Amino acid sequence: MHRTNRVRLLPIFVGFFRLGVVSFGGGTAGWLYREIVERRRWINDAEFLSGAALGRLMPGSGGVNLTVQVGQILHGGSGAFAAVLGLLSGPLAIILALTAGYTTIGQSPTLHAVLDGVAAAAIGLTFATGLKLVRFGRASAGPLAVTAATVLSVGVLRWPMITVVLCLAPVSIGLALLDRRGGRA
Amino acid sequence: MPEDFRTLLTLTLVFAPLSLLSIGGGASLLAEIEHQSVGVHAWTTEREFANLFAISRAAPGPGTMLSTLIGWKVAGLAGALTATIALYLPIAGFTRRTRRLARSNRCDGRDLVAAAPSSAGVVLRRRGVVRPRRGARFVVT
């Protein structure tokens, strides 16, 4: 099973550090494909696809999950660690520098305007992603009802998300199973 | 010192469980992170939260650097590192384990759907997105 140590740790760290710094606007998987599959040829398409599939399936950032798996393929557990460390440390440094800058000149009205603009755009983007996911869910009544219930209870009623998800997830799974069975019959 | 430690512990206790619920990416956590930071723990005001959110989105990298910024605001560098690790480490380990499990059972991408955690109710509905039918789909996302 251990077909490890395909690439040494330092190149892994450097490769993913680059990836982390250039991947503006999320979409880490796309950047990773370019940098790691096409440019460096460290993994092949099939490995990328199974990693991307599992990465999106698992909770958490799909990009980070994919990175964990690629690191694992390249150099086992320490490879996974090096890859994630590389991916996150660049953005971490940048973001802390930005925040430090923001705290020093925090009262500038121009800066506030800029941040408001960025926030508005980011909210729009998040909203669009949500809408796209709803569409992917093969818009039928059951899944839509679950989505609506989640939005209502977390977003409007402000119930704790963990409880809400733990209650609604079984309902959603049950509906999906029923839907599948109905479709087959 | 104990006070600092308590803050870091609270950060961990808030972000670590959330990481396991962030199905479909970090954006799904936004509402809860806001609720915890502004409402429950009063780590930031609403205004500050909006600013931190904007900064987290303006910087490169995989979306959810928001927790890092809140950690930074609450407890400096130690807080930033704690919040980041709390949000990413549990799920990184989880992904690694699932992948090894899938490999040792000779699953291909299609079977991975079955290996998903059962808490992921959304996932069943999204199996069309997840199934690796055509390469291009994943390259784009």
Side-chain angles (χ1 to χ4, degrees):
Chain A
M1 161 153 186
H2 286 286
R3 192 171 41 112
T4 53
N5 304 357
R6 212 189 278 183
V7 180
R8 285 188 303 144
L9 288 176
L10 189 63
I12 295 179
F13 178 85
V14 173
F16 279 93
F17 183 85
R18 221 185 101 103
L19 186 64
V21 176
V22 298
S23 61
F24 275 95
T28 312
W31 288 100
L32 192 143
Y33 185 82
R34 248 184 59 142
E35 177 79 16
I36 307 294
V37 184
E38 287 191 325
R39 217 172 75 88
R40 300 185 190 249
R41 301 186 182 283
W42 281 349
I43 57 168
N44 59 36
D45 277 8
E47 286 167 326
F48 174 81
L49 285 180
S50 79
L54 183 59
R56 295 206 52 167
L57 207 57
M58 307 295 289
S61 150
V64 177
N65 291 345
L66 177 57
T67 298
V68 170
Q69 297 176 73
V70 175
Q72 169 87 24
I73 293 174
L74 296 177
H75 203 114
S78 47
F81 185 73
V84 174
L85 199 68
L87 184 78
L88 294 181
S89 54
L92 188 79
I94 293 175
I95 217 165
L96 290 186
L98 280 178
T99 316
Y102 150 73
T103 355
T104 343
I105 47 168
Q107 298 317 314
S108 141
T110 322
L111 184 74
H112 271 291
V114 170
L115 287 177
D116 280 348
V118 174
I123 289 169
L125 206 64
T126 309
F127 196 66
T129 312
L131 282 180
K132 216 162 65 183
L133 288 178
V134 170
R135 271 226 312 274
F136 273 134
R138 267 192 293 142
S140 56
L144 282 181
V146 173
T147 308
T150 313
V151 171
L152 189 72
S153 43
V154 177
V156 181
L157 299 175
R158 322 233 79 188
W159 291 349
M161 191 181 100
I162 296 184
T163 325
V164 169
V165 170
L166 286 180
C167 292
L168 283 176
V171 175
S172 182
I173 293 176
L175 283 173
L177 286 175
L178 279 178
D179 185 46
R180 261 183 117 177
R181 204 164 297 165
R184 212 179 290 154
Chain B
M1 178 64 191
E3 188 56 40
D4 290 353
F5 184 75
R6 251 223 328 262
T7 314
L8 295 182
L9 190 69
T10 316
L11 281 170
T12 310
L13 291 178
V14 166
F15 286 113
L18 281 184
S19 96
L20 295 168
L21 281 181
S22 54
I23 300 145
S28 50
L29 297 183
L30 206 55
E32 182 67 9
I33 294 181
E34 194 263 350
H35 178 64
Q36 293 283 341
S37 319
V38 180
V40 179
H41 297 285
W43 285 329
T44 67
T45 63
E46 257 181 59
R47 176 73 242 183
E48 285 166 337
F49 184 85
N51 286 346
L52 294 181
F53 171 68
I55 294 174
S56 81
R57 276 317 171 91
T64 327
M65 282 284 161
L66 182 57
S67 65
T68 310
L69 293 184
I70 290 165
W72 172 265
K73 171 90 192 349
V74 178
L77 188 60
L81 293 177
T82 305
T84 312
I85 292 170
L87 194 67
Y88 285 114
L89 194 69
I91 204 59
F94 195 37
T95 304
R96 214 167 81 80
R97 278 196 70 95
T98 310
R99 179 175 188 85
R100 294 177 69 166
L101 197 76
R103 271 191 58 174
S104 59
N105 290 313
R106 297 177 190 285
C107 293
D108 68 2
R110 209 163 293 215
D111 299 323
L112 291 177
V113 174
S118 55
S119 70
V122 202
V123 163
L124 279 176
R125 300 207 318 262
R126 283 178 44 196
R127 58 187 186 277
V129 191
V130 155
R131 191 182 297 152
R133 272 181 305 205
R134 275 182 225 102
R137 205 152 196 184
F138 289 98
V139 180
V140 179
T141 46

